[in-house]
PDB file of all heavy atoms in Angstrom:
ATOM      1  N   VAL H  17      25.264   4.306 -20.318  1.00 95.00           N
ATOM      2  CA  VAL H  17      24.855   2.921 -20.362  1.00 95.00           C
ATOM      3  C   VAL H  17      23.902   2.653 -19.278  1.00 95.00           C
ATOM      4  O   VAL H  17      24.069   2.819 -18.071  1.00 95.00           O
ATOM      5  CB  VAL H  17      26.102   1.982 -20.268  1.00 95.00           C
ATOM      6  CG1 VAL H  17      25.743   0.587 -20.274  1.00 95.00           C
ATOM      7  CG2 VAL H  17      27.196   2.339 -21.237  1.00 95.00           C
ATOM      8  N   THR H  18      22.683   2.189 -19.695  1.00 93.00           N
ATOM      9  CA  THR H  18      21.596   1.907 -18.728  1.00 93.00           C
ATOM     10  C   THR H  18      21.096   0.506 -18.845  1.00 93.00           C
ATOM     11  O   THR H  18      21.299  -0.204 -19.833  1.00 93.00           O
ATOM     12  CB  THR H  18      20.469   2.885 -18.890  1.00 93.00           C
ATOM     13  OG1 THR H  18      19.966   2.706 -20.215  1.00 93.00           O
ATOM     14  CG2 THR H  18      20.914   4.345 -18.734  1.00 93.00           C
ATOM     15  N   GLU H  19      20.455   0.101 -17.757  1.00 92.00           N
ATOM     16  CA  GLU H  19      19.735  -1.178 -17.733  1.00 92.00           C
ATOM     17  C   GLU H  19      18.281  -0.890 -17.473  1.00 92.00           C
ATOM     18  O   GLU H  19      17.920  -0.227 -16.571  1.00 92.00           O
ATOM     19  CB  GLU H  19      20.325  -2.094 -16.629  1.00 92.00           C
ATOM     20  CG  GLU H  19      21.814  -2.428 -16.809  1.00 92.00           C
ATOM     21  CD  GLU H  19      22.438  -3.031 -15.586  1.00 92.00           C
ATOM     22  OE1 GLU H  19      21.758  -3.120 -14.597  1.00 92.00           O
ATOM     23  OE2 GLU H  19      23.627  -3.301 -15.632  1.00 92.00           O
ATOM     24  N   GLU H  20      17.403  -1.481 -18.256  1.00 89.00           N
ATOM     25  CA  GLU H  20      15.978  -1.210 -18.233  1.00 89.00           C
ATOM     26  C   GLU H  20      15.235  -2.283 -17.443  1.00 89.00           C
ATOM     27  O   GLU H  20      15.529  -3.509 -17.515  1.00 89.00           O
ATOM     28  CB  GLU H  20      15.349  -1.071 -19.637  1.00 89.00           C
ATOM     29  CG  GLU H  20      15.870   0.170 -20.340  1.00 89.00           C
ATOM     30  CD  GLU H  20      15.024   0.463 -21.627  1.00 89.00           C
ATOM     31  OE1 GLU H  20      14.259  -0.477 -22.052  1.00 89.00           O
ATOM     32  OE2 GLU H  20      15.198   1.548 -22.197  1.00 89.00           O
ATOM     33  N   THR H  21      14.294  -1.862 -16.645  1.00 89.00           N
ATOM     34  CA  THR H  21      13.362  -2.763 -16.000  1.00 89.00           C
ATOM     35  C   THR H  21      11.977  -2.651 -16.578  1.00 89.00           C
ATOM     36  O   THR H  21      11.441  -1.443 -16.540  1.00 89.00           O
ATOM     37  CB  THR H  21      13.345  -2.452 -14.512  1.00 89.00           C
ATOM     38  OG1 THR H  21      14.683  -2.509 -13.960  1.00 89.00           O
ATOM     39  CG2 THR H  21      12.496  -3.447 -13.735  1.00 89.00           C
ATOM     40  N   PRO H  22      11.427  -3.619 -17.076  1.00 89.00           N
ATOM     41  CA  PRO H  22      10.051  -3.411 -17.685  1.00 89.00           C
ATOM     42  C   PRO H  22       9.002  -3.089 -16.735  1.00 89.00           C
ATOM     43  O   PRO H  22       9.013  -3.420 -15.573  1.00 89.00           O
ATOM     44  CB  PRO H  22       9.805  -4.851 -18.296  1.00 89.00           C
ATOM     45  CG  PRO H  22      10.609  -5.756 -17.566  1.00 89.00           C
ATOM     46  CD  PRO H  22      11.879  -4.969 -17.151  1.00 89.00           C
ATOM     47  N   ALA H  23       8.020  -2.321 -17.149  1.00 87.00           N
ATOM     48  CA  ALA H  23       6.838  -1.902 -16.327  1.00 87.00           C
ATOM     49  C   ALA H  23       6.027  -3.142 -15.992  1.00 87.00           C
ATOM     50  O   ALA H  23       5.911  -4.114 -16.755  1.00 87.00           O
ATOM     51  CB  ALA H  23       6.035  -0.922 -17.075  1.00 87.00           C
ATOM     52  N   GLY H  24       5.542  -3.151 -14.757  1.00 84.00           N
ATOM     53  CA  GLY H  24       4.680  -4.236 -14.323  1.00 84.00           C
ATOM     54  C   GLY H  24       3.201  -3.987 -14.706  1.00 84.00           C
ATOM     55  O   GLY H  24       2.873  -2.890 -15.122  1.00 84.00           O
ATOM     56  N   GLY H  25       2.409  -4.977 -14.466  1.00 83.00           N
ATOM     57  CA  GLY H  25       0.980  -4.761 -14.700  1.00 83.00           C
ATOM     58  C   GLY H  25       0.727  -5.132 -16.188  1.00 83.00           C
ATOM     59  O   GLY H  25       1.611  -5.096 -17.073  1.00 83.00           O
ATOM     60  N   ASN H  26      -0.589  -5.354 -16.385  1.00 89.00           N
ATOM     61  CA  ASN H  26      -0.999  -5.684 -17.722  1.00 89.00           C
ATOM     62  C   ASN H  26      -2.248  -4.775 -18.125  1.00 89.00           C
ATOM     63  O   ASN H  26      -3.348  -4.999 -17.727  1.00 89.00           O
ATOM     64  CB  ASN H  26      -1.408  -7.188 -17.758  1.00 89.00           C
ATOM     65  CG  ASN H  26      -1.748  -7.641 -19.128  1.00 89.00           C
ATOM     66  OD1 ASN H  26      -2.291  -6.971 -19.994  1.00 89.00           O
ATOM     67  ND2 ASN H  26      -1.429  -8.910 -19.421  1.00 89.00           N
ATOM     68  N   PRO H  27      -2.015  -3.801 -18.988  1.00 92.00           N
ATOM     69  CA  PRO H  27      -3.026  -2.892 -19.384  1.00 92.00           C
ATOM     70  C   PRO H  27      -4.298  -3.619 -19.919  1.00 92.00           C
ATOM     71  O   PRO H  27      -5.414  -3.190 -19.701  1.00 92.00           O
ATOM     72  CB  PRO H  27      -2.436  -1.922 -20.367  1.00 92.00           C
ATOM     73  CG  PRO H  27      -0.970  -1.942 -20.043  1.00 92.00           C
ATOM     74  CD  PRO H  27      -0.687  -3.351 -19.594  1.00 92.00           C
ATOM     75  N   GLU H  28      -4.047  -4.680 -20.699  1.00 93.00           N
ATOM     76  CA  GLU H  28      -5.135  -5.416 -21.326  1.00 93.00           C
ATOM     77  C   GLU H  28      -6.000  -6.043 -20.202  1.00 93.00           C
ATOM     78  O   GLU H  28      -7.246  -6.002 -20.314  1.00 93.00           O
ATOM     79  CB  GLU H  28      -4.630  -6.475 -22.242  1.00 93.00           C
ATOM     80  CG  GLU H  28      -4.079  -5.877 -23.537  1.00 93.00           C
ATOM     81  CD  GLU H  28      -2.685  -5.309 -23.388  1.00 93.00           C
ATOM     82  OE1 GLU H  28      -2.040  -5.609 -22.321  1.00 93.00           O
ATOM     83  OE2 GLU H  28      -2.227  -4.538 -24.237  1.00 93.00           O
ATOM     84  N   GLN H  29      -5.325  -6.554 -19.178  1.00 93.00           N
ATOM     85  CA  GLN H  29      -6.077  -7.202 -18.046  1.00 93.00           C
ATOM     86  C   GLN H  29      -6.752  -6.155 -17.242  1.00 93.00           C
ATOM     87  O   GLN H  29      -7.962  -6.355 -16.841  1.00 93.00           O
ATOM     88  CB  GLN H  29      -5.025  -7.931 -17.161  1.00 93.00           C
ATOM     89  CG  GLN H  29      -4.653  -9.277 -17.629  1.00 93.00           C
ATOM     90  CD  GLN H  29      -5.295 -10.429 -16.966  1.00 93.00           C
ATOM     91  OE1 GLN H  29      -5.220 -10.507 -15.727  1.00 93.00           O
ATOM     92  NE2 GLN H  29      -5.983 -11.169 -17.652  1.00 93.00           N
ATOM     93  N   LEU H  30      -6.163  -4.980 -17.029  1.00 95.00           N
ATOM     94  CA  LEU H  30      -6.844  -3.887 -16.326  1.00 95.00           C
ATOM     95  C   LEU H  30      -8.076  -3.403 -17.025  1.00 95.00           C
ATOM     96  O   LEU H  30      -9.068  -3.027 -16.315  1.00 95.00           O
ATOM     97  CB  LEU H  30      -5.904  -2.753 -16.111  1.00 95.00           C
ATOM     98  CG  LEU H  30      -4.647  -3.003 -15.208  1.00 95.00           C
ATOM     99  CD1 LEU H  30      -3.764  -1.821 -15.088  1.00 95.00           C
ATOM    100  CD2 LEU H  30      -5.121  -3.399 -13.745  1.00 95.00           C
ATOM    101  N   ALA H  31      -8.055  -3.499 -18.298  1.00 95.00           N
ATOM    102  CA  ALA H  31      -9.223  -2.996 -19.108  1.00 95.00           C
ATOM    103  C   ALA H  31     -10.447  -3.902 -18.891  1.00 95.00           C
ATOM    104  O   ALA H  31     -11.566  -3.552 -19.256  1.00 95.00           O
ATOM    105  CB  ALA H  31      -8.861  -2.915 -20.548  1.00 95.00           C
ATOM    106  N   LEU H  32     -10.248  -5.117 -18.315  1.00 95.00           N
ATOM    107  CA  LEU H  32     -11.396  -6.059 -18.091  1.00 95.00           C
ATOM    108  C   LEU H  32     -12.124  -5.671 -16.856  1.00 95.00           C
ATOM    109  O   LEU H  32     -13.311  -6.093 -16.622  1.00 95.00           O
ATOM    110  CB  LEU H  32     -10.787  -7.465 -17.925  1.00 95.00           C
ATOM    111  CG  LEU H  32     -10.169  -8.104 -19.102  1.00 95.00           C
ATOM    112  CD1 LEU H  32      -9.534  -9.486 -18.691  1.00 95.00           C
ATOM    113  CD2 LEU H  32     -11.154  -8.285 -20.237  1.00 95.00           C
ATOM    114  N   VAL H  33     -11.495  -4.835 -16.018  1.00 97.00           N
ATOM    115  CA  VAL H  33     -12.219  -4.428 -14.739  1.00 97.00           C
ATOM    116  C   VAL H  33     -13.287  -3.431 -14.981  1.00 97.00           C
ATOM    117  O   VAL H  33     -13.104  -2.319 -15.203  1.00 97.00           O
ATOM    118  CB  VAL H  33     -11.169  -3.888 -13.734  1.00 97.00           C
ATOM    119  CG1 VAL H  33     -11.873  -3.554 -12.409  1.00 97.00           C
ATOM    120  CG2 VAL H  33     -10.053  -4.889 -13.462  1.00 97.00           C
ATOM    121  N   LYS H  34     -14.518  -4.001 -15.025  1.00 95.00           N
ATOM    122  CA  LYS H  34     -15.765  -3.125 -15.283  1.00 95.00           C
ATOM    123  C   LYS H  34     -16.912  -3.538 -14.412  1.00 95.00           C
ATOM    124  O   LYS H  34     -17.834  -2.700 -14.213  1.00 95.00           O
ATOM    125  CB  LYS H  34     -16.093  -3.288 -16.752  1.00 95.00           C
ATOM    126  CG  LYS H  34     -15.093  -2.801 -17.745  1.00 95.00           C
ATOM    127  CD  LYS H  34     -15.509  -3.085 -19.180  1.00 95.00           C
ATOM    128  CE  LYS H  34     -14.506  -2.618 -20.202  1.00 95.00           C
ATOM    129  NZ  LYS H  34     -14.865  -2.886 -21.599  1.00 95.00           N
ATOM    130  N   ASP H  35     -16.914  -4.761 -13.880  1.00 97.00           N
ATOM    131  CA  ASP H  35     -18.148  -5.293 -13.303  1.00 97.00           C
ATOM    132  C   ASP H  35     -18.138  -5.245 -11.755  1.00 97.00           C
ATOM    133  O   ASP H  35     -17.057  -5.479 -11.153  1.00 97.00           O
ATOM    134  CB  ASP H  35     -18.383  -6.703 -13.734  1.00 97.00           C
ATOM    135  CG  ASP H  35     -18.358  -6.878 -15.265  1.00 97.00           C
ATOM    136  OD1 ASP H  35     -18.978  -6.053 -15.921  1.00 97.00           O
ATOM    137  OD2 ASP H  35     -17.520  -7.705 -15.744  1.00 97.00           O
ATOM    138  N   LEU H  36     -19.294  -5.001 -11.148  1.00 97.00           N
ATOM    139  CA  LEU H  36     -19.411  -5.090  -9.679  1.00 97.00           C
ATOM    140  C   LEU H  36     -19.541  -6.534  -9.287  1.00 97.00           C
ATOM    141  O   LEU H  36     -20.510  -7.163  -9.687  1.00 97.00           O
ATOM    142  CB  LEU H  36     -20.595  -4.253  -9.208  1.00 97.00           C
ATOM    143  CG  LEU H  36     -20.822  -4.339  -7.749  1.00 97.00           C
ATOM    144  CD1 LEU H  36     -19.697  -3.709  -6.956  1.00 97.00           C
ATOM    145  CD2 LEU H  36     -22.190  -3.615  -7.382  1.00 97.00           C
ATOM    146  N   LEU H  37     -18.534  -7.033  -8.572  1.00 98.00           N
ATOM    147  CA  LEU H  37     -18.601  -8.440  -8.166  1.00 98.00           C
ATOM    148  C   LEU H  37     -19.231  -8.703  -6.789  1.00 98.00           C
ATOM    149  O   LEU H  37     -19.810  -9.726  -6.538  1.00 98.00           O
ATOM    150  CB  LEU H  37     -17.151  -9.012  -8.045  1.00 98.00           C
ATOM    151  CG  LEU H  37     -16.320  -8.902  -9.383  1.00 98.00           C
ATOM    152  CD1 LEU H  37     -14.962  -9.543  -9.155  1.00 98.00           C
ATOM    153  CD2 LEU H  37     -17.037  -9.530 -10.562  1.00 98.00           C
ATOM    154  N   GLY H  38     -19.101  -7.703  -5.861  1.00 98.00           N
ATOM    155  CA  GLY H  38     -19.656  -7.802  -4.577  1.00 98.00           C
ATOM    156  C   GLY H  38     -19.513  -6.542  -3.782  1.00 98.00           C
ATOM    157  O   GLY H  38     -18.620  -5.705  -4.016  1.00 98.00           O
ATOM    158  N   GLU H  39     -20.460  -6.295  -2.819  1.00 98.00           N
ATOM    159  CA  GLU H  39     -20.334  -5.094  -2.046  1.00 98.00           C
ATOM    160  C   GLU H  39     -20.888  -5.340  -0.682  1.00 98.00           C
ATOM    161  O   GLU H  39     -21.701  -6.289  -0.404  1.00 98.00           O
ATOM    162  CB  GLU H  39     -21.138  -3.876  -2.683  1.00 98.00           C
ATOM    163  CG  GLU H  39     -22.618  -4.147  -2.962  1.00 98.00           C
ATOM    164  CD  GLU H  39     -23.237  -3.056  -3.705  1.00 98.00           C
ATOM    165  OE1 GLU H  39     -22.777  -1.881  -3.633  1.00 98.00           O
ATOM    166  OE2 GLU H  39     -24.271  -3.311  -4.390  1.00 98.00           O
ATOM    167  N   GLY H  40     -20.498  -4.532   0.326  1.00 98.00           N
ATOM    168  CA  GLY H  40     -20.962  -4.616   1.702  1.00 98.00           C
ATOM    169  C   GLY H  40     -21.146  -3.218   2.278  1.00 98.00           C
ATOM    170  O   GLY H  40     -20.381  -2.285   1.967  1.00 98.00           O
ATOM    171  N   THR H  41     -22.197  -3.101   3.142  1.00 98.00           N
ATOM    172  CA  THR H  41     -22.484  -1.763   3.718  1.00 98.00           C
ATOM    173  C   THR H  41     -22.870  -1.992   5.207  1.00 98.00           C
ATOM    174  O   THR H  41     -23.526  -2.931   5.572  1.00 98.00           O
ATOM    175  CB  THR H  41     -23.656  -1.113   3.024  1.00 98.00           C
ATOM    176  OG1 THR H  41     -23.390  -0.990   1.634  1.00 98.00           O
ATOM    177  CG2 THR H  41     -23.965   0.294   3.633  1.00 98.00           C
ATOM    178  N   THR H  42     -22.233  -1.151   6.098  1.00 98.00           N
ATOM    179  CA  THR H  42     -22.730  -1.151   7.500  1.00 98.00           C
ATOM    180  C   THR H  42     -22.838   0.317   7.937  1.00 98.00           C
ATOM    181  O   THR H  42     -22.286   1.219   7.310  1.00 98.00           O
ATOM    182  CB  THR H  42     -21.646  -1.802   8.354  1.00 98.00           C
ATOM    183  OG1 THR H  42     -20.380  -1.140   8.254  1.00 98.00           O
ATOM    184  CG2 THR H  42     -21.463  -3.300   8.039  1.00 98.00           C
ATOM    185  N   GLU H  43     -23.512   0.485   9.055  1.00 97.00           N
ATOM    186  CA  GLU H  43     -23.737   1.851   9.576  1.00 97.00           C
ATOM    187  C   GLU H  43     -22.845   2.082  10.836  1.00 97.00           C
ATOM    188  O   GLU H  43     -22.632   1.194  11.653  1.00 97.00           O
ATOM    189  CB  GLU H  43     -25.231   1.972  10.048  1.00 97.00           C
ATOM    190  CG  GLU H  43     -26.236   1.769   8.869  1.00 97.00           C
ATOM    191  CD  GLU H  43     -26.048   2.743   7.744  1.00 97.00           C
ATOM    192  OE1 GLU H  43     -25.754   3.899   8.036  1.00 97.00           O
ATOM    193  OE2 GLU H  43     -26.244   2.378   6.566  1.00 97.00           O
TER     194      GLU H  43
END
């Protein structure tokens, strides 16, 4: 007998991550 915990995160939302929003560079 087991109790399940659903996985977190949203694959559909993660699939939206494609664009560069901002970057910073130093030497």
Side-chain angles (χ1 to χ4, degrees):
V17 180
T18 59
E19 298 167 359
E20 291 191 347
T21 305
N26 187 324
E28 289 75 18
Q29 282 257 302
L30 293 177
L32 295 174
V33 180
K34 298 177 181 178
D35 308 309
L36 177 63
L37 304 182
E39 58 186 334
T41 302
T42 59
E43 302 298 325

